[in-house]
């Protein structure tokens, strides 16, 4: 019998090793295309420890489509994703590529239902939509991104990676608010935590930096960006985090208050005459650093402090005071702390914040090295003294890489 001779290309299927990561916000879509073949997830972790001939060696493309639905911007999320597809095609990396293994979607709220990266089905989309009341600003945009991406490539596995998932291991003692249990359960009121992909990535990368397995170390992660959160991670498992039902709880942030007495809300309603939406906007958008001094950018606050600006100084002091309280609290929660890791825009870049946050904590075994701390860099590094019992690290976060790894781990052959 005659057999048709196959060429090598025809007989060897293309291995799909690329993951497109989509972060669909209310008015923007951020994307990154990563190749997961090299480096492997294991070496990727090591990159954090021994970086970085090429910090994003696996990143093939990235970009952002902004001002969705605004004058001068694209009309809607469908148009935004079409633009993403066009930008990728222009670079020879089109969505039709057989090398694409999956799309990984950042989804903000997974509730108690989603605690793992999840292959998206119609049922999963419906469940994410049910969680909209818990994240009214974020989940609807995430769902639209998922729906449009599924329409573009219906055959492609799509994976949802939840910002809350890493925190789902919190014990009930940390996750429950001390309010009437039946009321809390009826309305899903509990602490979920956010920035989970960052806390997961940074806590593992910190272990790698110390030459240890995640299971061997206890880490306090301080994710200090415009939004900010702390977590206590015991042996790779999150046991507490500072954000709660929503991202409003915890640290002082760029525009959010973080912790306040809940009675402030009743007071503002009854005495101040503000309605619930006004209070929501006040606490989420007009509080934190911007509410205290008019600026939410730590660079600008630093500049004003250097000029002797008292408002900027007070905002900084309140920010640092709260941060120190969480370091102390999580030291007590963990008992033994091996490392404190700073990450995100402020944590990675502001030596002043790191120093002020840990200054005088030598009795807790925390000794920051002023010289090391002052050196700027974009690689994972230690900034503690050689004698510090607790390692202090600066670890650049990479949420897209973490999402890609989690998505790929579900679909890889
Ligand atoms: P993120 O949300 O992680 O992108 O962080 C954004 C925030 O990082 C900005 O609002 C700034 O406050 C802060 N930031 C960025 N670069 C610097 C820097 N060089 N020094 C101090 N803070 C910075």
């Amino acid at each position: 019998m005659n057999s048709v001779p196959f060429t090598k290309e025809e007989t060897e299927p293309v291995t799909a090793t690329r993951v497109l990561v989509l972060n669909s916000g209310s008015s923007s879509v951020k994307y990154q295309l990563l190749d997961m073949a090299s480096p492997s997830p294991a070496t990727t972790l090591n990159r954090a420890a021994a970086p970085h001939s090429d910090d994003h060696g696996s990143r093939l493309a990235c970009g952002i489509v902004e001002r969705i639905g605004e004058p001068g911007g694209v009309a809607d999320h469908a148009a935004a994703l079409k633009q993403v597809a066009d930008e990728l095609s222009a670079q020879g990396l089109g969505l039709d590529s057989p090398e694409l293994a999956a799309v990984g979607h950042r989804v903000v709220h997974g509730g108690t239902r989603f605690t793992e990266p999840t292959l998206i089905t119609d049922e999963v989309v419906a469940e994410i939509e049910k969680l909209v009341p818990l994240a009214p600003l974020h989940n609807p945009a995430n769902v639209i991104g998922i729906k449009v991406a599924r329409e573009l490539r219906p055959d492609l596995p799509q994976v949802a990676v939840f910002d809350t998932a890493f925190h789902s291991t919190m014990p009930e003692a940390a996750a429950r608010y001390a309010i009437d249990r039946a009321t809390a359960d009826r309305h899903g009121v509990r602490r979920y935590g956010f920035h989970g992909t960052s806390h997961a990535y940074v806590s593992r990368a910190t272990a790698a930096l110390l030459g240890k397995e995640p299971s061997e170390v206890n880490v306090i992660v301080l994710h200090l960006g415009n939004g900010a959160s702390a977590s206590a991670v015991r042996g790779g498992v999150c046991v507490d985090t500072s954000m709660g039902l929503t991202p409003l709880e915890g640290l002082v942030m760029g525009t959010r208050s973080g912790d306040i007495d809940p009675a402030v809300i009743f007071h503002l309603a009854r005495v101040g005459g503000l309605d619930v939406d006004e209070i929501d906007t006040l606490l989420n958008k007009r509080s934190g650093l911007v509410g205290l001094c008019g600026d939410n950018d730590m660079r600008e606050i630093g500049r004003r402090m250097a000029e002797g600006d008292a408002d900027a100084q007070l905002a900084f002091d309140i920010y640092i005071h709260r941060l120190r309280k969480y370091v102390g609290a999580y030291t007590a929660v963990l008992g033994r702390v091996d490392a404190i890791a700073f990450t995100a825009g402020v944590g990675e870049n502001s030596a002043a914040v790191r120093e002020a946050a840990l200054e005088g904590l030598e009795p807790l075994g925390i000794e920051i090295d002023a010289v090391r701390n002052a050196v700027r860099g974009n690689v994972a590094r230690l900034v503690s003294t050689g004698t510090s019992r607790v390692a202090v690290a600066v670890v650049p976060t990479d949420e897209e890489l973490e999402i890609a790894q989690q998505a790929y781990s579900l679909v890889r052959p």
Side-chain angles (χ1 to χ4, degrees), residues 30 195 223-228 254 289 296-302 319 343-353 376 397 399:
K30 289 189 216 148
H195 292 146
H223 177 111
L224 310 177
N226 197 34
L289 294 172
N296 62 333
D297 192 315
M298 199 52 88
R299 286 164 289 201
E300 184 60 16
I301 290 170
Y319 182 95
T343 194
V346 176
E348 292 169 29
N349 294 299
S350 176
V353 164
R376 294 188 57 79
T397 192
E399 291 170 272

Side-chain angles (χ1 to χ4, degrees), residues 150-189:
R150 289 181 89 203
E151 277 164 25
L152 283 176
R153 275 292 304 270
D155 56 313
L156 199 64
Q158 315 246 347
V159 179
V161 177
F162 298 89
D163 236 19
T164 46
F166 183 63
H167 306 301
S168 65
T169 49
M170 278 194 288
E172 287 291 280
R176 280 205 175 261
Y177 293 109
I179 65 172
D180 174 72
R181 280 185 64 172
T183 306
D185 289 346
R186 192 173 323 124
H187 300 292
V189 173

Side-chain angles (χ1 to χ4, degrees), residues 165-337:
F166 183 63
H167 306 301
S168 65
T169 49
M170 278 194 288
E172 287 291 280
R176 280 205 175 261
Y177 293 109
I179 65 172
D180 174 72
R181 280 185 64 172
T183 306
D185 289 346
R186 192 173 323 124
H187 300 292
V189 173
R190 60 187 282 119
R191 309 187 58 256
Y192 296 96
F194 299 88
H195 292 146
T197 51
S198 179
H199 287 280
Y201 177 84
V202 171
S203 57
R204 287 208 323 272
T206 304
L209 183 65
L210 300 180
K212 299 258 173 79
E213 292 297 320
S215 59
E216 296 175 305
V217 293
N218 295 345
V219 186
I220 297 173
V221 178
L222 302 172
H223 177 111
L224 310 177
N226 197 34
S229 60
S231 67
V233 183
R234 175 182 289 132
V237 175
C238 179
V239 294
D240 205 353
T241 194
S242 60
M243 285 177 167
L245 176 77
T246 77
L248 184 54
E249 190 178 347
L251 300 173
V252 176
M253 310 184 208
T255 67
R256 297 187 195 119
S257 62
D259 297 335
I260 57 164
D261 180 346
V264 168
I265 295 161
F266 320 142
H267 184 80
L268 289 173
R270 292 182 187 130
V271 180
L274 278 71
D275 69 28
V276 72
D277 290 327
E278 288 170 329
I279 298 172
D280 190 333
T281 303
L282 174 80
L283 296 180
N284 275 295
K285 299 243 167 30
R286 295 198 290 117
S287 295
L289 294 172
V290 85
L292 289 165
C293 76
D295 273 308
N296 62 333
D297 192 315
M298 199 52 88
R299 286 164 289 201
E300 184 60 16
I301 290 170
R303 200 187 56 71
R304 286 172 55 186
M305 281 162 56
E307 290 173 351
D309 185 316
D311 292 344
Q313 184 67 56
L314 180 61
F316 183 85
D317 292 347
I318 294 169
Y319 182 95
I320 295 296
H321 181 76
R322 185 80 51 82
L323 199 50
R324 290 169 67 88
K325 280 176 47 168
Y326 272 90
V327 170
Y330 288 174
T331 298
V333 166
L334 291 171
R336 186 198 84 225
V337 180

Side-chain angles (χ1 to χ4, degrees), residues 25-29 65-81 83 141 144:
S26 54
S27 68
S28 72
V29 173
V65 181
E66 291 179 286
R67 295 166 62 207
I68 297 171
E70 292 173 22
V74 296
D76 53 24
H77 282 77
L81 280 207
Q83 187 171 324
I144 293 172

